[in-house]
Amino acid sequence: MISVPKPGVHASSGLEIGPRRLHPFAPAGVLAAILLAGCAQLTGSGIGDGEGLSESEQVALELEHSVGFVDDPQLQSYVESVAERVVAQGKRKNIDYRYKILDMPVPNALALPDGQIFLSRGVLILVNSEDELASILAHEIAHVDERHASQRENLALVTSPIRLGTGIAGWATGLIIPDLGDAIVELGESTTGLFLAPYSREQEREADRAGQALAAAAGYDPGGLVDLLDTMAKAEALDPESTPEQSWFDTHPSTNERVSLTRKHGESLTPAVRPVSARDRAGLLAMLTGLVVGENPGKGFFDENWFVHPELAFVMGFPPGWEGINTSGFVGAQKPDEETFVMLALVAKGTDPMQGASVASRKLEIDVKSNAQPGIVNGLPAAKSQVQFKRNDGKVEKAELTWIAHGGLIYQVMAVAPLERYEAVEDIMRGSAHSFRALTNEERASILVVKLRVVEARRGESIAELAERVKTPWSVDVIAVVNGIPAGEPLEAGELIKVGLQESYTAQAGEPIATPTSP
C-alpha cells in the first residue's frame, strides 16, 4: 500500500489577499450532492439544460456548485440586515434581493439582475467598518437598481483556463456529473473560475456613484467605499507577481481613478441619520471572526500527489507526476501528453459498492454490474469491473471502474487509457484506486487551516511584536493592510487587530459539507 504523507502541507497557512491564477489543484468544490443533481445551463454556454430556470438562477446554481457558500447563519443574517437598509433607499421596490457569501478567498463581489448579491469571504476579511460593508453591498445593489445587466448582451460565463484532457470521453464525465460532463469536455475547461461577463467601465463608475448615494441615504458614510478600495488596492500590491485574475479590479476602472472620483463624490453627499442598529468596529469584527482565510481545506486539497478530504474523511493517491485537477464534480489526474487519466467522484449514497455499479450501468447504458467483482480496498467494501468502448472518433479505450463504500457514500474511481497503452499503465492506475482509504483522526487533526481572529493590542506594542506574541503567519505588512493601519505606528492599548491564526482543522469541524441524494 502507498503511504500517505502527513496532510496539511498545502492547506492554507497564510493570507491570500491578492488575486492569483488558480493552481490546477485549487479546491473548487465538494464531492457531494452536486454530482447527482446536475448543473443548470446559462443560455448559450452549453452547460446543462437549465430547464425552468432563469439566467440568474442558472448562474446562481453554477456558483453554488463550482464555488460554494459560507455556512455561517449569524454572519449571513448580519450581511442581510446591512444590505436591506441600503435596498430600502433604492428605486426598484419589486426586486426580491437575496444575499450569499461565496466560499472564495479572492476579494470579489457580484450582482445578478434578479437581485442576487454575492460577496466573497475574501472581501469580507478586508472590511474594517460597517460603512465599508454597506458600500460594497450598495455598489452591487446599484448595478441592479440601474438595470445594468439588461445593457449587456447576456450573462456569459467566463471560466478560468484550467484545461481538461481532451481524451476524457463525454460519457465518462457524464457518468460522474450528470448533464455537466459533456459540456466540460466540449469547453475543454473546468468551471472552477466561474464569473459573469463584465459590466462596462462607465457602468462601474455609475455603480460607484449610485452606490455611494444609496449608502449615504441609508445613514452610512459614503467614504466607506474609498477606504475599502484603498485597502483592496494595497492588498493586491502585496503580491506584485500575481496575475490580476478574477479580482474585483479586473473589469473596473483603475484604482487611483476610482479613489479620486469616489472621494470627491462622497464629499458631496450628506449621510442620513446613522441606523441605531449599526455596529461599531468591535461589533463588525465579532461577525467576521472565524472566517477561513485562503483556500478552504475542508473542500479537499492536494498534498503533492495525494488528495485529502477532511470533511468526507478519506485520502487517495494519484500517480506521481500526473497533472491533477480538483473540480466541483470530480478529482482526477491525467498522464502528461496522453489521453490517460484516473478520476474519483461520488456517485451514490449507501453502503453497498454494487450500487455504484448499478449507477454506472444505467449511465453508460452498458452492463458493467454483471461483470463486477466484489472485494476489499483497505478494509472498505469495494467492487470493480472493466469495459472497452469506442469513442466517436473511432479510438478504442479501456476503463477499469472501482466502487468503494465509505461513510455511507459510494465513491467511483475510473481509470481510462487508450487500448494500446492500457497495459503499460494498468498497474499504476489500479494502485491509485487501491490507495483510497479512510483518513485517520490523527491525520485529520494534523490538517491546518488559517482562520480570522481578533486580538487586543498592548499599549505601545508594534505590529511586529503583536505578530510574534500571537504567532500569526501573517507579515507586518499584511496585518497593516487588512486592518487599515500604518505599519510603523505603535498600537493603542486594547486596539482590536485582525490576524490569521493557524488552527487544527478539527478544532471546529462540523458535519460533512453535503450528502448526495439517492440516485
Side-chain angles (χ1 to χ4, degrees), residues 325-345:
I325 184 170
N326 179 17
T327 77
S328 60
F330 66 89
V331 176
Q334 181 178 9
K335 197 171 189 297
D337 304 321
E338 288 192 20
E339 297 175 348
T340 300
F341 55 89
V342 177
M343 291 194 295
L344 168 70

Side-chain angles (χ1 to χ4, degrees), residues 131-132 135 212 221-233 255 258-267:
D131 297 294
E132 294 180 16
S135 74
Q212 283 186 291
D221 181 356
L225 181 60
V226 182
D227 295 336
L228 184 58
L229 287 173
D230 184 56
T231 298
M232 292 175 74
T255 309
R258 294 185 72 194
V259 168
S260 176
L261 291 174
T262 54
R263 178 176 287 113
K264 183 177 181 180
H265 183 60
E267 290 171 351

Side-chain angles (χ1 to χ4, degrees), residues 237-363:
L238 288 176
D239 189 4
E241 295 182 358
S242 68
T243 302
E245 185 172 296
Q246 298 182 339
S247 83
W248 212 51
F249 293 137
D250 286 354
T251 58
H252 292 58
S254 68
T255 309
N256 290 337
E257 174 195 346
R258 294 185 72 194
V259 168
S260 176
L261 291 174
T262 54
R263 178 176 287 113
K264 183 177 181 180
H265 183 60
E267 290 171 351
S268 71
L269 299 171
T270 301
V273 176
R274 191 170 185 80
V276 175
S277 56
R279 293 175 181 262
D280 58 13
R281 188 167 186 269
L284 169 81
L285 297 186
M287 290 291 100
L288 301 182
T289 188
L291 278 174
V292 173
V293 181
E295 297 293 355
N296 185 354
K299 291 181 173 185
F301 61 94
F302 272 91
D303 184 352
E304 297 180 355
N305 62 303
W306 288 88
F307 182 76
V308 183
H309 203 302
E311 285 291 325
L312 299 178
F314 73 82
V315 61
M316 176 177 162
F318 287 89
W322 289 26
E323 182 181 2
I325 184 170
N326 179 17
T327 77
S328 60
F330 66 89
V331 176
Q334 181 178 9
K335 197 171 189 297
D337 304 321
E338 288 192 20
E339 297 175 348
T340 300
F341 55 89
V342 177
M343 291 194 295
L344 168 70
L346 257 173
V347 293
K349 181 180 179 181
T351 58
D352 183 358
M354 295 302 289
Q355 292 175 257
S358 297
V359 172
S361 295
R362 186 171 68 251
K363 292 293 183 181

Side-chain angles (χ1 to χ4, degrees), residues 68-73 75-76 101-104 120-121 291:
F69 302 141
V70 172
D71 183 17
D72 186 335
L75 178 58
Q76 175 79 25
I101 301 169
L102 292 171
D103 191 9
M104 175 190 295
S120 72
R121 58 178 165 83
L291 278 174

Side-chain angles (χ1 to χ4, degrees), residues 408-428:
L409 304 171
I410 309 299
Y411 296 83
Q412 175 178 276
V413 181
M414 182 166 59
V416 181
L419 183 60
E420 68 275 13
R421 294 203 290 271
Y422 187 85
E423 186 175 347
V425 294
E426 181 176 13
D427 287 345
I428 190 171

